[in-house]
Amino acid sequence: MNNKSQGLKFTNKYSSQISTILALIILCIVLSFLSENFLTIGNLLTVTNQVVYVALMAIGMTILFMLGAIDLSVGAILALSACVMGLLTNKYGMAPVPAILIAMAVSLLCGLINGLLVTQIKLPPFVATLGTSYIFRGMAAIITGAKNSLNMPEGLRWIAAGKVANVFPRGIFVLLALYIAAWFLMEKTPFGIKIKCIGGNEKAARLSGVEIEKMKLLAYVITGALCGISGMMLAGRLNFTNSTMANGAELSCIVAGVVGGTSMNGGSGSIWGTLVGSLLMGVISNGLNLLNVSQFWQDVAMGALVILAVAIDCFRQAGKSRVKRVV
């Protein structure tokens, strides 16, 4: 294979990620002209730290997209696990470590419930996770009495809100560590290969001996765990928990994954593309805030971005289908 063919292959494989990176760069340049406060080290680090919780949940959403599934309860799992931790440490005076472990167990259980509904009850992922999103968030409101839990554990604050050398937020290092682990899991292990095989052609994967139900269940459990970690990071940064935390975050996760090059139809995707997509979402939100755009118009922009992201995915899949028919 000559250099030109290798270059074309690389460009075709990473075209979505390259487009997202270019969009992020262009957006940063535009915002730097519109607001003198945007292109500063402090603001850029703040933006990155603010997207940590969405970017962590988006890893799980990306894995599910590769599988051909979805989870609309990620924000609710985050809220429930964070509220459990806040309740245990604030109301009952439990030590931070066991409280965090119990909260993580709750997030794993939520992921397991979603996985069982999809694999054993055979509910469509959209319906199953939409239903559990109401259940989990309702439970968060019930156990907290719809009140805030204040003053998170100091160790959690140190990780989520602290800075290295008084400059770099520690949350960014947690984010990078988990993205490296997720990339390795999806690109270098049998788990990632099986997930993509199921998403690409579930019938063929089953005939090849892939444990379909087991892989789906593991994907939902991993997503639940990531929501729990995300909840701890968000609670530590904000220094409080409540049942409305991360409300609507599932839409941000969907946009981050799709814009980053992961197909909602399954079979392919990019962990690093999702990170870039998450950063793009954070930059848009930060830019609108700096420009004093009303929250109502920000909601309009978010809705439009969701539609645009899904439309891009549809066009991308249609293009691939035409290429296959030509070949």
Side-chain angles (χ1 to χ4, degrees), residues 17-37:
Q17 294 88 300
I18 293 171
S19 299
T20 307
I21 292 172
L22 289 175
L24 179 60
I25 293 172
I26 293 171
L27 182 61
C28 288
I29 293 172
V30 171
L31 288 174
S32 68
F33 284 106
L34 295 177
S35 173
E36 60 181 15
N37 296 320

Side-chain angles (χ1 to χ4, degrees), residues 63-78:
I63 293 173
L64 291 173
F65 280 171
M66 292 182 187
L67 188 64
I70 196 171
D71 188 347
L72 297 179
S73 69
V74 289
I77 296 175
L78 180 154

Side-chain angles (χ1 to χ4, degrees), residues 64 67-72 110-130 132 202 206 212-217 219-220:
L64 291 173
L67 188 64
I70 196 171
D71 188 347
L72 297 179
C110 291
L112 180 63
I113 291 171
N114 283 337
L116 289 174
L117 289 174
V118 171
T119 60
Q120 302 304 312
I121 310 299
K122 304 299 182 182
L123 293 179
F126 183 92
V127 175
T129 58
L130 180 61
T132 56
E202 184 171 327
R206 191 181 296 278
I212 307 291
E213 284 71 25
K214 179 183 177 181
M215 291 297 105
K216 289 183 177 180
L217 192 61
Y220 275 103

Side-chain angles (χ1 to χ4, degrees), residues 40-312:
T40 62
I41 298 298
N43 185 61
L44 293 178
L45 289 175
T46 298
V47 171
T48 307
N49 197 33
Q50 287 175 343
V51 304
V52 165
Y53 87 96
V54 168
L56 289 177
M57 289 191 295
I59 294 175
M61 192 71 81
T62 299
I63 293 173
L64 291 173
F65 280 171
M66 292 182 187
L67 188 64
I70 196 171
D71 188 347
L72 297 179
S73 69
V74 289
I77 296 175
L78 180 154
L80 178 57
S81 60
C83 284
V84 167
M85 186 270 299
L87 182 72
L88 293 175
T89 56
N90 280 257
K91 186 173 181 179
Y92 297 106
M94 183 177 287
V97 173
I100 290 173
L101 291 176
I102 291 173
M104 287 300 302
V106 168
S107 67
L108 285 167
L109 178 61
C110 291
L112 180 63
I113 291 171
N114 283 337
L116 289 174
L117 289 174
V118 171
T119 60
Q120 302 304 312
I121 310 299
K122 304 299 182 182
L123 293 179
F126 183 92
V127 175
T129 58
L130 180 61
T132 56
S133 69
Y134 284 98
I135 294 171
F136 298 153
R137 200 170 286 279
M139 290 176 64
I142 291 169
I143 66 172
T144 60
K147 296 180 180 178
N148 292 353
S149 294
L150 305 176
N151 301 320
M152 295 299 101
E154 189 58 37
L156 191 61
R157 292 277 299 158
W158 183 84
I159 295 173
K163 294 182 178 181
V164 176
N166 260 352
V167 177
F168 302 101
R170 290 191 179 92
I172 295 176
F173 295 98
V174 174
L175 179 70
L176 288 175
L178 287 172
Y179 262 83
I180 291 171
W183 170 82
F184 183 83
L185 178 69
M186 298 307 297
E187 299 295 334
K188 303 297 180 181
T189 69
F191 174 83
I193 296 172
K194 291 178 180 179
I195 289 292
K196 292 175 184 177
C197 286
I198 296 171
N201 191 324
E202 184 171 327
K203 184 177 180 180
R206 191 181 296 278
L207 292 174
S208 300
V210 177
E211 314 92 325
I212 307 291
E213 284 71 25
K214 179 183 177 181
M215 291 297 105
K216 289 183 177 180
L217 192 61
L218 282 174
Y220 275 103
V221 170
I222 289 172
T223 301
L226 287 165
C227 291
I229 296 172
S230 180
M232 299 305 103
M233 295 298 294
L234 182 59
R237 183 170 66 83
L238 298 178
N239 201 27
F240 73 86
T241 66
N242 63 38
S243 60
T244 62
M245 293 176 69
N247 195 20
E250 51 280 339
L251 294 180
S252 298
C253 294
I254 291 171
V255 174
V258 174
V259 170
T262 300
S263 171
M264 295 181 71
N265 293 322
S268 63
S270 168
I271 293 294
W272 292 115
T274 296
L275 178 58
V276 178
S278 300
L279 290 172
L280 182 63
M281 295 288 295
V283 167
I284 292 173
S285 178
N286 178 258
L288 293 175
N289 285 328
L290 289 176
L291 297 174
N292 296 315
V293 176
S294 165
Q295 183 60 51
F296 303 120
W297 283 109
Q298 291 191 37
D299 292 340
V300 171
M302 174 61 72
L305 197 57
V306 171
I307 294 173
L308 179 62
V310 176
I312 290 172

